[in-house]
């Protein structure tokens, strides 16, 4: 693909890019509700992975906020995909499909499950942030609809101009919604959640979240997802953190700026 090599994507990152004939994507209205919450007592004495016996457990907000870090990196991938399309380059379909699968499998089916099963009900029970929680739940639903369309639009490398425009619109809408969504959760929802949750239960929920991660994603859990995202970033040439550092202003430019003012 014109100057860029999508072949660098690992098998793990692209595993979701292959259509699953035996497991078709659910329609938005049929999106499965989160399963019943497991009994919290099941995790009280669960052994930790080898070598982690003395590691302090993550608190629930820490766990959820690092998952937001994965979300932010996928939003950056979507932005780069939009840039490619708007500059009339070939649609990086494989990379975008793999990114949308991370959103579907990790953010929607795991991260948002934790929020809808453990965080939002406690806020409602405490009579706190009810309107905010309702808006966040609606946004979860809209996000799943957008992801379904993004997955469908990126199954193939070739797309009509109309489909390219629709894909750009859907990725832009996802970015525009989830940037304020996750920042509101980080700065308002999670701090209030901590206040209304008793300390003992709060610590225990940290163990529950970790156990859920290992149960759903394997022992490497979060780390494996980060590696998937890193592979996608490499395929799009946006993996080098230093490339986002603005150049140092030259003395001439600074002088011109002062004189202009």
């Amino acid at each position: 693909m014109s100057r860029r090599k999508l072949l660098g994507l690992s098998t793990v990152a692209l595993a979701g890019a292959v259509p699953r004939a035996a497991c078709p994507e659910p329609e938005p209205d049929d999106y499965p509700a989160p399963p019943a919450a497991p009994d919290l007592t099941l995790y009280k004495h669960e052994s930790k992975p080898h070598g982690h016996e003395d590691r302090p457990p993550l608190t629930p907000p820490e766990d959820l906020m690092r998952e937001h870090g994965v979300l932010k990196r996928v939003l950056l991938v979507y932005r780069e995909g939009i840039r490619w399309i708007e500059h009339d380059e070939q649609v990086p379909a494989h990379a975008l499909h793999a990114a949308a699968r991370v959103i579907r499998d990790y953010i929607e089916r795991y991260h948002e499950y934790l929020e809808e099963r453990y965080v939002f009900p406690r806020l409602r029970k405490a009579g706190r942030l009810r309107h905010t929680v309702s808006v966040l739940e609606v946004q979860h639903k809209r996000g799943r609809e957008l992801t379904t369309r993004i997955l469908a639009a990126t199954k193939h490398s070739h797309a009509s101009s109309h489909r390219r425009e629709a894909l750009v619109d859907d990725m832009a809408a996802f970015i525009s919604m989830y940037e304020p969504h996750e920042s509101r959760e980080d700065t308002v929802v999670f701090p209030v959640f901590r206040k209304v949750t008793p300390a003992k239960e709060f610590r225990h929920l940290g163990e529950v979240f970790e156990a859920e991660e290992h149960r759903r994603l394997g022992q490497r859990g979060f780390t494996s997802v980060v590696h998937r995202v890193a592979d996608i970033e490499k395929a799009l040439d946006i993996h080098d953190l230093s490339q986002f550092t603005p150049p140092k202003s030259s003395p001439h430019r600074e002088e011109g700026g002062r004189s202009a003012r």
Side-chain angles (χ1 to χ4, degrees):
M1 292 178 60
S2 65
R3 299 181 292 107
R4 317 270 175 105
K5 293 184 179 180
L6 290 181
L7 295 178
L9 276 172
S10 73
T11 303
V12 174
L14 285 177
V18 179
R20 301 182 179 183
C23 218
E25 284 296 325
E27 293 300 318
D29 291 341
D30 297 329
Y31 198 88
D39 184 352
L40 301 188
T41 60
L42 295 177
Y43 301 110
K44 283 187 176 179
H45 304 294
E46 181 159 331
S47 60
K48 296 182 180 295
H50 180 67
H52 294 254
E53 290 80 2
D54 298 325
R55 185 189 68 186
L58 288 174
T59 64
E62 284 180 295
D63 205 353
L64 295 167
M65 290 171 74
R66 72 174 185 171
E67 291 156 15
H68 278 171
V70 171
L71 171 62
K72 289 175 182 176
R73 290 176 70 167
V74 174
L75 297 185
L76 182 61
V77 168
Y78 280 0
R79 273 205 172 87
E80 182 65 5
I82 291 172
R83 191 188 70 79
W84 279 42
I85 296 170
E86 291 183 339
H87 284 74
D88 292 326
E89 299 189 47
Q90 186 174 349
V91 178
H94 292 301
L96 294 177
H97 195 89
R101 282 244 61 99
V102 171
I103 294 294
R104 173 56 43 95
D105 298 336
Y106 186 66
I107 298 301
E108 295 173 355
R109 289 179 173 164
Y110 169 64
H111 171 81
E112 291 179 358
Y113 157 78
L114 294 179
E115 292 178 338
E116 294 174 3
R117 184 57 62 182
Y118 297 107
V119 179
F120 296 167
R122 281 167 174 76
L123 293 172
R124 281 201 172 99
K125 184 177 180 180
R128 304 291 298 274
L129 304 177
R130 287 178 175 173
H131 174 70
T132 299
V133 167
S134 295
V135 172
L136 294 173
E137 288 178 329
V138 169
Q139 291 181 343
H140 284 179
K141 185 175 186 296
R142 296 289 183 272
R144 292 161 189 164
E145 294 167 356
L146 289 169
T147 299
T148 294
R149 295 206 295 265
I150 293 169
L151 284 168
T154 54
K155 281 183 179 179
H156 308 289
S157 298
H158 302 289
S160 64
S161 59
H162 174 71
R163 285 183 174 273
R164 289 161 65 103
E165 290 176 7
L167 175 60
V168 166
D169 289 345
D170 285 340
M171 290 191 295
F174 194 92
I175 294 168
S176 295
M177 181 173 68
Y178 268 98
E179 283 184 333
H181 178 102
E182 61 88 17
S183 63
R184 189 66 59 90
E185 289 182 338
D186 288 347
T187 59
V188 177
V189 174
F190 297 159
V192 174
F193 168 64
R194 183 181 189 120
K195 286 181 181 179
V196 302
T197 306
K200 184 176 181 181
E201 181 182 353
F202 192 77
R203 288 192 297 271
H204 184 44
L205 277 174
E207 299 175 8
V208 172
F209 283 17
E210 185 172 9
E212 277 291 301
E213 177 184 318
H214 294 320
R215 183 175 71 85
R216 289 167 174 264
L217 305 169
Q219 287 301 315
R220 296 182 69 242
F222 173 76
T223 302
S224 67
V225 174
V226 170
H227 287 168
R228 285 173 62 186
V229 176
D231 283 344
I232 298 167
E233 292 169 339
K234 289 177 183 177
L236 294 176
D237 257 347
I238 57 172
H239 60 288
D240 184 359
L241 184 61
S242 64
Q243 74 189 86
F244 299 101
T245 307
K248 184 178 180 180
S249 299
S250 65
H252 176 73
R253 183 175 178 181
E254 292 176 352
E255 191 174 314
R258 285 196 297 272
S259 62
R261 288 194 295 271

